[in-house]
Amino acid sequence: MHFGADVSVNGVKVGSVIETKLNPIDYTVDVMMSIDSKYKFPKNTTAQISTYGIIGAKYIKLEIGSSKELIEPNGKLQSKPFKTLEEIISDIIFKTSK
């Protein structure tokens, strides 16, 4: 992820990536996002790196949860693993061959 990458919900930009850093303890990537203050999301909303089209730019895709509680300012989201194009194709091939 790079500085300025979109953060989107259902194709609508709601914010931008402002910083990424490697966590030295568990080697996960921490992504800091700036979300427009007019948007409030449930606590169980998840984030996933996605791409625009097959070879498009990467962005953060938010999947809205159903919790009644909202994420606090400076709160954290759970993430879903990023799948490469090769992994997606492999999933399709092996799913259809069963």
Side-chain angles (χ1 to χ4, degrees):
M1 284 304 0
H2 61 68
F3 177 80
D6 291 351
V7 177
S8 297
V9 175
N10 295 325
V12 176
K13 183 177 176 179
V14 297
S16 300
V17 171
I18 57 174
E19 181 183 9
T20 58
K21 59 184 173 181
L22 186 64
N23 184 317
I25 297 169
D26 61 6
Y27 299 103
T28 57
V29 177
D30 295 332
V31 178
M32 303 290 290
M33 300 176 276
S34 174
I35 306 292
D36 189 315
S37 61
K38 68 182 173 186
Y39 299 111
K40 309 293 182 206
F41 299 114
K43 273 195 171 186
N44 61 341
T45 295
T46 58
Q48 181 176 25
I49 297 173
S50 194
T51 59
Y52 291 115
I54 294 174
I55 56 171
K58 289 184 177 79
Y59 71 99
I60 301 291
K61 174 182 168 184
L62 299 183
E63 292 185 13
I64 305 304
S66 58
S67 173
K68 300 289 184 204
E69 293 182 65
L70 300 177
I71 299 169
E72 300 287 329
N74 299 314
K76 293 185 178 188
L77 295 174
Q78 291 295 316
S79 64
K80 291 185 172 183
F82 174 70
K83 285 193 170 188
T84 64
L85 179 60
E86 291 83 9
E87 291 170 320
I88 293 168
I89 291 171
S90 177
D91 286 350
I92 292 169
I93 290 171
F94 289 113
K95 233 182 237 184
T96 58
S97 66
K98 289 184 181 179

